[in-house]
Every structure is written in structure tokens, then in C-alpha cells.
Amino acid sequence: PRAASAGLPRRRRWAASGPMPTALVAGASGLVGRYLLDLLLGCPEYDRVVAVGRRPLDVTHPKLVEVVASFTALDRLPEPLR
């Protein structure tokens, strides 16, 4: 029997006619967060990837929406992210 793909969920197939999902990554400048960010930016199932972090990223991508925020002042985040 084949092993599950490292415990990862199966990929969903999204209908091209509907809106594509948005992914939110907190901590995208860290080791794991950056790896996840790169995976999501290359994934056709996501239309937009929002990265919230304490410092600016050194990456640009048409799907990427970057939000630099202080995690001690989350009440000052833009309205859509609260």
C-alpha cells in the first residue's frame, strides 16, 4: 500500500468559474513561514496569499499581499485583517 503523502491533505480541485481561495500566512519571514509562502505562491489553487509579519519580505509576486504589523498592536491592523 502507498503511504499517504507525508500526512498532507489531498488537493482539492477548484472550479475555475468561482472565486479562488485566499491563504493567510503569519510569520512568513521565518524559516517555516517562508517555505510555506513559497509553496502557496506557486500553488495554482490560490488566487491571493496574504503574508502578515513584523518586517518586510524580500519577495514580490502578483499573488502576494504583504502586511507589516506589530503583533503587540494587532488592533491597528487594517480592517479586513481584524
Side-chain angles (χ1 to χ4, degrees):
R2 270 183 50 184
S5 300
L8 298 174
R10 288 185 174 194
R11 283 188 158 191
R12 277 188 172 168
R13 299 287 178 207
W14 300 99
S17 60
M20 300 291 276
T22 297
L24 175 67
V25 179
S29 62
L31 179 67
V32 174
R34 179 57 191 263
Y35 179 76
L36 179 60
L37 178 68
D38 290 340
L39 285 176
L40 291 168
L41 290 174
C43 186
E45 288 88 357
Y46 291 93
D47 210 22
R48 184 172 72 147
V49 179
V50 178
V52 180
R54 293 178 290 160
R55 58 184 175 264
L57 299 171
D58 62 347
V59 65
T60 57
H61 193 280
K63 291 183 186 183
L64 180 61
V65 176
E66 186 177 352
V67 178
V68 177
S70 169
F71 287 99
T72 60
L74 292 177
D75 58 327
R76 289 186 238 149
L77 280 174
E79 183 64 34
L81 295 177
R82 280 193 240 157

